[in-house]
Amino acid sequence: MARVRAIRRFTVRTVLPGSLDALEALAINLRWSWHPPTRDLFAAIDPDRWAVSGHDPVRLLGEVSAERLAELAEDQGFVDWVARARADLADYLEQPRWYQSLGDDAPAGIAYFSPEYGITSALPQYSGGLGILAGDHLKTASDLGVPIIALGLFYRAGYFRQTLSRDGWQQEHYPVSDPDGSPVSLLREADGSPAKIAVGLPGGRFLVARIWVAQVGRVPLLMLDSDVEENGPIEREVTDRLYGGGGEHRLQQEMLLGIGGVRAVRAYCRITGRPEPEVFHTNEGHAGFLGLERIRELVSTNPGMTFDQALEVSRAGTVFTTHTPVPAGIDRFPIDLIAQYFGGDNASAGVPVDRVLELGAESFDGGDPTVFNMAVMGLRLAQRANGVSLLHGEVSRGMFSGLWSGFDNDDVPITSVTNGVHAPTWTARQVVDLAHGASLDDAEGWAVIADTPDEQLWQVKRALREELVAMTRWRLRESWTNRGASDAELGWTDSVLDPDVLTIGFARRVPSYKRLTLMLRDPERLRALLTDPERPVQLVVAGKAHPADDGGKRLIQQLVHFADSEDVRHRIVFLPDYDISMATTLYPGCDVWLNNPIRPLEASGTSGMKAALNGALNLSILDGWWDEWFDGENGWAIPTADGVEDADRRDDLEAEALYSLIENSVAPAFYTRDEKGLPQRWLFMLKHTLRTLGPKVLASRMLREYVTRLYGPAAVASREIEATDYALARDLSDWKGRLRAGWSALRIDHVEADGVGDAVMQGAGITIRAYVSLGTLTPDDVQVQAVFGRVDADDRLVEHEALTMEHAEQYDGNRWLYRLTIDLDRNGPFGYTVRILPAHPGLASAQELGLQVLPPLTVGMSDGVLR
C-alpha cells in the first residue's frame, strides 16, 4: 500500500513559559548567527537537539520538549541568562553606531536588492558568492547602524542540497523551506491580514506575493513569496527555486524582485512608519526592473511629469553593482518577450514599451539587437556604478565600454569597491579570543592577534586543523553512506587527513573558469605531493555545479574519482554540499587557501579573505581582490600564462607553476622548524597576513566605502533633483534634449601651446589654448578639458589626467577661446590633447552621457602633431 503523503507541512511550536518568552525574540532575530554568546544560550537548552537542528534556534524551540522548558523555567540562573541576552540584543538594536555619527546628510534609508542572501544555513536562500556577499552586507549594515531595507525572494526550495552517486556524479535534492519553521515572520497590515503586493502579467493576470521578514540584527530583509491562494499554479511556482528555470520563469522572478520589491518596500515603510529609502542599490542586474517601477511611480503621482524627467529622478538615487566579468554571466531576454511583458494590455501608463526596450538594448558595436540585457539596463538606470575589486572595475569598464563609445576604458564611469567579509561570522572563536576584547573592526584588533606568542598561535592553528579533520571524517563517512557504502567498508575514513599535515583548502562554485581540476593536470605530480614522506600535503575540496551544468558536474566527478583512489584518499577529499555550516570550519582549519581561476574572470572572490582572517595564507592566481592586495609576504601568487591562446597549454603551464610553488615554497616554509618545533618563516607570514590583510578584507571597510563614495552622493543627488517640485529633473531632461540636438555642431577648431618645443625642462609650465565653436550651445553646457600625461611610442596617452580649461574670450559668432596653464612636474615623453564634454549640475560625471568631441587630426600645434 502506498504511504499517504501530507498536502501541507507545518511546525507546531512549543508554548514557551512566561519567564522564557524572550527566547522567541532571540531566535527570530538572526543576530544569533554571528553572536556566539546567543548561540551558547540556545545550545545550553538541549545540546543534542541543538546539534541535530543544525544550530537553528527556531527549529530547536519547535522540537524541545515542554518538560525541558519547564525545567529551565525553574532554573533561575538560566532565566537570568535569557534576560541578560535579551537586554544585550535590545542594547545592540537601539544604541547609536558608526552611521549615526554621520549626521543628517547621510541617507535616511537605503533599499538593497539582491536575488539571494547567505546569512545562515537555517535560512537557505543562497547559492554562492553573490548571496554570501549580500548576507555579509546586511550583517555589517546592522553592526554599523546603516539604515538598509533589503529585498529578496523567498524560495520554497532554495538552492539544492548536493550528494554524490556511487560513480561520483553530482545529484541535486530540493528540500522544502517551510516559512513556519524558519526564522521569518509575515508582514501584516494593521488589521492583522497579510500584506501583499501584485505585479501585472500579460493577459490581465497578476502575480501576487506575500512578504516574509527576516530580521538581520537591525536590518529587515523582505522576501516575496508567490505561493499564495490568489495565484494560479504557474504563478505560485515563480518563487519555487533559486535560479530555477529560464525564459519566462526567470523573467517573472526578476519582475517580482525588482517591481514587486519596490512595492514591498513601500508597504513595509507604510506599515512600520520607517522613512522611505533615498537610495536604491541594485546588487547585480537581476533586480534592475526596480528602476522601471520607480519611473512608473513618479509619472503616475506627478501630473505632467514625463518619462525622461522621471528617469532622471530615479537614476540620481540608484547605485548599480556588477559582479560578473564575463558577458555570459549576464541575464539576457529576447526583445519580443520583454515587449510582451511590458507592452500590450500589461503596459503601464507613462512607461512606453519602446522606452523600456531602449534601456536594455545592446545598441553598440558587437551587441545583439534581438536581446534585452539586464546589466545594460542596470547601468542606464543608475547614475553610479561599481565593480567589486580594482581589477574587476577595470574589466567592467572594458566589458561595458560600448555604452561610452569613443572613450578610453579608463574614462568609463564605473568605479570599484572591493568586496569584504563579515569578521564576526567568519572568524573562528579561538582566533577572536586572541584579540582579548579589542575590536576586529579596525587595525588594532588584528595587530593584537598578530602579536600573539608564536607557540600559542601555532597551538590555535593546530586545534582548528583538528576540528577540520573531525568534520571532514564525519562528512566523508556520511557522503560514502549516501553513495551506497556499508559501515564495514568505511573504517578507513577514521584516519583520513592528519592534523599535523599541511592542509590546503579549495571550495567554490564549479563553473569552468574557476578550474576545479587544474590540480589534476598532472595526476602523478599531485600524487607525489600528497604522499611525500617528509613534506606531505593534504587537500580538502568542496563545491557545487549548477544543476544544468553537466560540464561542471564532470569536473567534480573527475576530482572525486581521483580522491577515491586508495593510495591518496587519506590525503585528498571532496566534501559534498558546500554551505555556510561547512565553510565556518573549513576556512579556519586550512593553512593555505587555493584559488586558480582563469585571469581576469574572478570578479573579486571572498573565500580567500575569510581564510586570511583565520591565519591562512593565500595561494592564488593574481585575480580579483588578490591582484590588489598580494604583497609578497602574505601568501603566494601563481604565475599566469598571459598571452598563451591555447587553453590546454595555458592550463599546463599554470598547473606546473602551482605544483612548483607547493613543492619549493609552500611546503618548505610549513615544515622547516626551529628548535622548538615552530615554523618561523610560516609564522612570520601568518602574522603579517593577520596584521595587514585583516583590516583590509573586512565588510565594514567595504560598507563604509559604499556609504561615503556611493550612497551618500546618491542621496545628495536625489534630494537635489527632487527639490522644488523636481525642478532640477525637469531642467536636466530638457537640457539633455537640447544638448543632443546641438552636439554634432561642436568643433575644436585650433589648438596651440606656448613653451612647447622638442624638449621642455621639468618644472616649466606650458599654456594650452583651444579655439572651440559651440554651435547652438553655450559655455555653461560644456566643459573643455586638457588631457595630458605620459605618452607611449604611438603618442597614446597613458597615466594621464584631465583638467578643465577656462573660457577666456568670445570671437565671431559662438566661437570661444579656452585656456589652461600646466606645470610639468614629471619628466619623460609627454603629450596632451583637448576634448569637449557635457556639463550640468545634475550629472555625476562629465563622461556620464557617453558624449565627447575630440579635435580632428589636422588641428595643429607648431610642430604639426597633436599629442
Side-chain angles (χ1 to χ4, degrees):
M1 175 179 172
R3 189 179 297 273
V4 177
R5 297 177 63 88
I7 61 171
R8 177 75 169 87
R9 175 183 175 177
F10 55 92
T11 300
V12 179
R13 294 186 184 175
T14 303
V15 177
L16 293 170
S19 61
L20 300 181
D21 59 4
L23 287 173
E24 185 74 22
L26 291 168
I28 206 70
N29 191 306
L30 293 173
R31 186 212 184 196
W32 58 259
S33 68
W34 72 91
H35 190 244
T38 306
R39 294 202 300 275
D40 291 343
L41 172 66
F42 284 109
I45 293 175
D46 188 327
D48 292 337
R49 287 189 183 275
W50 176 246
V52 171
S53 75
H55 299 171
D56 177 352
V58 172
R59 182 178 168 189
L60 172 72
L61 295 181
E63 297 178 355
V64 69
S65 69
E67 291 78 13
R68 175 56 178 163
L69 289 172
E71 177 187 344
L72 291 170
E74 296 300 320
D75 183 340
Q76 191 58 46
F78 187 80
V79 171
D80 291 344
W81 188 2
V82 172
R84 289 193 303 273
R86 183 66 182 90
D88 179 74
L89 176 61
D91 183 71
Y92 171 83
L93 297 176
E94 296 166 6
Q95 290 299 314
R97 308 187 81 82
W98 169 79
Y99 191 85
Q100 284 64 50
S101 70
L102 301 181
D104 294 338
D105 289 341
I110 299 137
Y112 180 88
F113 288 65
S114 178
E116 54 174 301
Y117 291 90
I119 297 164
T120 167
S121 296
L123 193 65
Q125 303 290 316
Y126 63 96
S127 69
L130 180 69
I132 299 298
L133 173 76
D136 282 8
H137 200 102
L138 303 195
K139 294 174 185 177
T140 306
S142 177
D143 291 344
L144 296 180
V146 182
I148 281 179
I149 301 172
L151 271 298
L153 303 180
F154 188 89
Y155 305 99
R156 283 311 179 100
Y159 207 53
F160 67 90
R161 303 292 303 273
Q162 178 196 44
T163 59
L164 299 175
S165 70
R166 183 76 187 202
D167 195 38
W169 189 257
Q170 173 179 292
Q171 297 177 317
E172 298 93 27
H173 310 273
Y174 291 90
V176 174
S177 294
D178 179 8
D180 293 325
S182 300
V184 298
S185 59
L186 202 58
L187 181 66
R188 296 184 180 276
E189 300 286 357
D191 63 2
S193 63
K196 294 181 180 178
I197 58 89
V199 175
L201 298 176
R205 297 175 296 138
F206 285 92
L207 174 59
V208 180
R210 56 185 166 180
I211 306 165
W212 295 102
V213 183
Q215 197 63 39
V216 187
R218 295 176 173 228
V219 174
L221 167 56
L222 315 183
M223 295 178 289
L224 304 181
D225 176 9
S226 70
D227 188 17
V228 296
E229 294 179 357
E230 294 90 333
N231 287 330
I234 295 175
E235 288 77 30
R236 294 186 79 143
E237 296 298 315
V238 167
T239 55
D240 57 352
R241 295 179 180 179
L242 174 58
Y243 302 139
E248 286 193 68
H249 186 83
R250 177 69 69 88
L251 177 60
Q252 289 171 359
Q253 283 191 339
E254 299 192 357
M255 289 177 67
L256 182 59
L257 176 60
I259 298 171
V262 174
R263 296 175 184 178
V265 169
R266 304 305 186 202
Y268 179 82
C269 291
R270 172 178 52 80
I271 292 168
T272 64
R274 183 156 174 161
E276 294 280 356
E278 293 185 280
V279 176
F280 287 75
H281 185 176
T282 308
N283 191 36
E284 197 45 271
H286 308 287
F289 290 128
L290 74 86
L292 295 180
E293 171 62 9
R294 294 186 65 214
I295 291 171
R296 185 204 63 79
E297 287 180 330
L298 288 159
V299 171
S300 64
T301 57
N302 294 276
M305 180 172 281
T306 67
F307 179 92
D308 288 314
Q309 292 165 355
L311 173 61
E312 300 304 338
V313 178
S314 178
R315 288 185 74 250
T318 302
V319 174
F320 175 76
T321 299
T322 175
H323 291 263
T324 179
V326 290
I330 297 170
D331 281 339
R332 301 158 89 213
F333 296 104
I335 286 283
D336 292 345
L337 185 63
I338 299 297
Q340 176 189 351
Y341 270 78
F342 287 90
D345 61 2
N346 199 42
S348 295
V351 186
V353 66
D354 60 319
R355 301 303 306 276
V356 174
L357 295 176
E358 286 176 4
L359 289 169
E362 295 186 354
S363 51
F364 44 78
D365 288 345
D368 184 343
T370 69
V371 302
F372 184 93
N373 186 308
M374 293 296 289
V376 165
M377 178 183 68
L379 288 165
R380 287 179 172 144
L381 284 172
Q383 195 171 43
R384 288 164 179 82
N386 69 285
V388 290
S389 69
L390 285 178
L391 180 59
H392 180 238
E394 179 183 330
V395 170
S396 298
R397 288 188 287 275
M399 187 165 72
F400 296 110
S401 62
L403 296 176
W404 291 270
S405 179
F407 283 86
D408 290 342
N409 288 355
D410 289 346
D411 282 331
V412 170
I414 299 176
T415 186
S416 299
V417 176
T418 302
N419 283 344
V421 297
H422 185 242
T425 294
W426 301 110
T427 311
R429 291 181 75 167
Q430 297 94 317
V431 177
V432 174
D433 289 344
L434 297 177
H436 302 294
S439 172
L440 298 188
D441 193 34
D442 53 38
E444 178 187 356
W446 297 102
V448 173
I449 296 174
D451 287 338
T452 300
D454 290 352
E455 295 90 341
Q456 183 181 2
L457 191 56
W458 193 237
Q459 288 170 3
V460 167
K461 282 302 297 181
R462 190 187 188 281
L464 294 171
R465 215 178 296 122
E466 283 186 316
E467 290 185 7
L468 172 57
V469 169
M471 183 268 284
T472 298
R473 291 173 180 174
W474 169 73
R475 284 183 177 263
L476 188 65
R477 189 179 189 94
E478 184 180 61
S479 174
W480 271 101
T481 300
N482 289 333
R483 294 172 69 183
S486 66
D487 286 344
E489 299 175 81
L490 298 179
W492 63 273
T493 60
D494 294 335
S495 58
V496 165
L497 304 189
D498 183 331
D500 291 310
V501 167
L502 171 62
T503 304
I504 300 176
F506 182 101
R508 52 194 34 87
R509 291 184 303 110
V510 190
S512 59
Y513 77 87
K514 291 181 182 284
R515 296 193 294 187
L516 171 73
T517 56
L518 186 69
M519 62 185 77
L520 296 181
R521 294 299 292 186
D522 185 344
E524 294 311 310
R525 186 78 182 275
L526 177 59
R527 181 173 277 105
L529 291 171
L530 296 172
T531 59
D532 187 290
E534 296 182 358
R535 294 174 173 172
V537 172
Q538 57 194 16
L539 273 159
V540 182
V541 185
K544 294 179 177 180
H546 188 280
D549 181 10
D550 283 351
K553 293 179 185 180
R554 278 191 290 273
L555 295 178
I556 290 174
Q557 187 178 47
Q558 290 171 25
L559 187 77
V560 169
H561 283 175
F562 181 85
D564 286 351
S565 303
E566 290 190 15
D567 60 333
V568 295
R569 66 186 184 185
H570 64 301
R571 287 282 184 260
I572 180 170
V573 295
F574 180 87
L575 299 181
D577 209 29
Y578 178 44
D579 64 359
I580 290 175
S581 177
M582 180 194 297
T584 52
T585 301
L586 178 57
Y587 298 137
C590 289
D591 301 297
V592 173
W593 195 257
L594 174 62
N595 189 28
N596 46 230
I598 299 171
R599 189 180 190 271
L601 302 185
E602 182 82 276
S604 177
T606 57
S607 58
M609 294 179 173
K610 297 160 193 164
L613 291 182
N614 291 282
L617 305 180
N618 275 267
L619 172 61
S620 177
I621 295 285
L622 285 173
D623 202 1
W625 73 275
W626 189 237
D627 182 72
E628 65 193 85
W629 285 336
F630 168 66
D631 67 8
E633 297 290 352
N634 52 11
W636 297 270
I638 303 171
T640 53
D642 293 336
V644 176
E645 296 184 3
D646 182 275
D648 285 333
R649 176 65 175 157
R650 178 202 61 217
D651 287 354
D652 286 340
L653 291 171
E654 294 184 5
E656 172 56 32
L658 170 61
Y659 299 139
S660 296
L661 272 173
I662 294 174
E663 181 177 15
N664 300 318
S665 299
V666 181
F670 183 86
Y671 285 109
T672 300
R673 309 293 171 89
D674 65 9
E675 64 278 1
K676 296 181 181 180
L678 299 174
Q680 287 299 327
R681 172 62 181 164
W682 191 273
L683 284 166
F684 168 81
M685 295 178 71
L686 188 159
K687 290 184 171 187
H688 177 76
T689 292
L690 291 168
R691 190 184 305 276
T692 60
L693 280 184
K696 289 180 180 178
V697 301
L698 300 180
S700 55
R701 183 270 313 151
M702 172 192 75
L703 191 53
R704 285 187 176 100
E705 287 191 43
Y706 272 110
V707 168
T708 56
R709 295 175 49 205
L710 294 171
Y711 295 163
V716 170
S718 184
R719 293 168 189 169
E720 290 177 347
I721 208 161
E722 293 180 7
T724 319
D725 192 26
Y726 303 99
L728 181 58
R730 301 178 199 279
D731 179 72
L732 180 58
S733 176
D734 293 344
W735 171 83
K736 283 186 176 180
R738 183 167 54 83
L739 182 87
R740 291 189 172 107
W743 194 257
S744 61
L746 296 183
R747 294 194 313 274
I748 298 173
D749 299 318
H750 183 70
V751 179
E752 61 188 24
D754 292 338
V756 177
D758 292 336
V760 179
M761 297 302 293
Q762 184 175 350
I766 63 170
T767 298
I768 302 173
R769 290 186 294 274
Y771 296 87
V772 174
S773 294
L774 297 182
T776 61
L777 302 179
T778 73
D780 290 337
D781 295 325
V782 301
Q783 62 173 286
V784 179
Q785 292 182 343
V787 185
F788 60 95
R790 297 178 65 85
V791 293
D792 62 15
D794 296 318
D795 286 337
R796 289 175 298 200
L797 285 160
V798 294
E799 302 175 24
H800 60 271
E801 57 183 308
L803 292 177
T804 301
M805 305 177 72
E806 295 183 358
H807 58 275
E809 301 176 46
Q810 184 177 9
Y811 290 84
D812 52 301
N814 201 15
R815 192 167 183 253
W816 292 80
L817 167 64
Y818 283 78
R819 185 161 42 208
L820 177 69
T821 298
I822 302 172
D823 293 325
L824 302 176
D825 57 358
R826 289 173 287 176
N827 60 1
F830 187 89
Y832 69 87
T833 190
V834 172
R835 66 183 179 187
I836 308 173
L837 299 173
H840 190 280
L843 298 180
S845 72
Q847 293 87 355
E848 185 176 316
L849 299 184
L851 296 173
Q852 71 172 344
V853 174
L854 294 170
L857 295 178
T858 55
V859 170
M861 288 185 356
S862 57
D863 62 359
V865 178
L866 179 69
R867 293 181 173 178

